[in-house]
Amino acid sequence: MLQNLEPWAMPSWKQLVVSTAADEWTAVFTQGSDIGTANVVGTRLDCLNIRTSHQPHLTHDGKIVSYGSTALWIHSGARHIRSIQASYQSRWLWTLFGDPQPFEDLDKYTAKKIPDRFTLASLNEYCRALGIERDNSGFYGSNGLLVEEDTSSWTSKPGDKLSREHLT
């Protein structure tokens, strides 16, 4: 189903809404860079909203092709509860906002290397503590709703580069 989000894009213009095995969660996937859809829906429904992101830090021939980042944002309606993020901008940055949650392993946050403070394994572990099996394809339903923005009026037309091509 995720192939419907191709091509990878920034800015993104497609979102895929999918049911999950947990009745209290609905998953929203985007094709690259959209950060607003889940937040807007969570705010309007006044419900708990968990947004996650992970992309490996990749270089090819000395050039960065993917800026690494692992992040978790927790909102309740419009209220920002917690953010945890290790990301590479022009250097590695560590960001924490809000009160620690009971499931967090705070000792990991003292690691010397910023990417080691919050890993993909940690992100998936935290999500499991919230009832989200982020890394289990069986957690997601087989049906979804694809929402596409009309891009006909965009001055810069979206690209057609597939996700796997974006990382090479």
Side-chain angles (χ1 to χ4, degrees), residues 18-74:
V18 180
S19 63
T20 70
D23 289 338
E24 65 271 20
W25 293 113
T26 300
V28 179
F29 297 95
T30 65
Q31 73 190 124
S33 65
D34 180 83
I35 61 171
T37 301
N39 288 350
V40 168
V41 170
T43 298
R44 289 192 178 165
L45 294 177
D46 195 26
C47 64
L48 192 61
N49 169 21
I50 309 299
R51 185 166 56 91
T52 69
S53 177
H54 173 77
Q55 57 190 44
H57 187 72
L58 301 174
T59 58
H60 184 70
D61 294 332
K63 180 181 170 187
I64 297 172
V65 294
S66 174
Y67 287 86
S69 178
T70 303
L72 170 71
W73 298 271
I74 304 173

Side-chain angles (χ1 to χ4, degrees), residues 69-130:
S69 178
T70 303
L72 170 71
W73 298 271
I74 304 173
H75 291 83
S76 180
R79 190 168 64 93
H80 189 172
I81 295 174
R82 183 68 164 159
S83 294
I84 308 164
Q85 184 172 19
S87 63
Y88 190 89
Q89 309 297 318
S90 57
R91 61 185 170 88
W92 281 100
L93 300 173
W94 177 240
T95 306
L96 288 173
F97 173 86
D99 294 329
Q101 300 301 295
F103 51 80
E104 290 183 46
D105 184 351
L106 302 177
D107 292 337
K108 289 184 178 178
Y109 301 166
T110 62
K112 184 175 181 175
K113 292 183 177 180
I114 291 174
D116 295 338
R117 296 178 190 175
F118 193 51
T119 63
L120 177 58
S122 298
L123 174 61
N124 290 334
E125 179 183 322
Y126 290 9
C127 285
R128 278 190 295 279
L130 292 162

Side-chain angles (χ1 to χ4, degrees), residues 19-21 133 135-142:
S19 63
T20 70
E133 298 176 45
D135 58 341
N136 174 6
S137 61
F139 178 71
Y140 304 100
S142 58

Side-chain angles (χ1 to χ4, degrees), residues 5-11 13-14 31 156-166:
L5 293 175
E6 293 289 357
W8 181 91
M10 267 180 83
W13 72 91
K14 295 181 186 179
Q31 73 190 124
S156 295
K157 296 300 177 197
D160 59 0
K161 195 173 192 180
L162 299 178
S163 297
R164 67 180 177 276
E165 295 168 342
H166 170 70

Side-chain angles (χ1 to χ4, degrees), residues 132-162:
I132 301 168
E133 298 176 45
R134 182 184 185 279
D135 58 341
N136 174 6
S137 61
F139 178 71
Y140 304 100
S142 58
N143 294 313
L145 172 67
L146 182 65
V147 179
E148 291 188 60
E149 182 178 341
D150 179 4
T151 61
S152 62
S153 65
W154 288 16
T155 54
S156 295
K157 296 300 177 197
D160 59 0
K161 195 173 192 180
L162 299 178

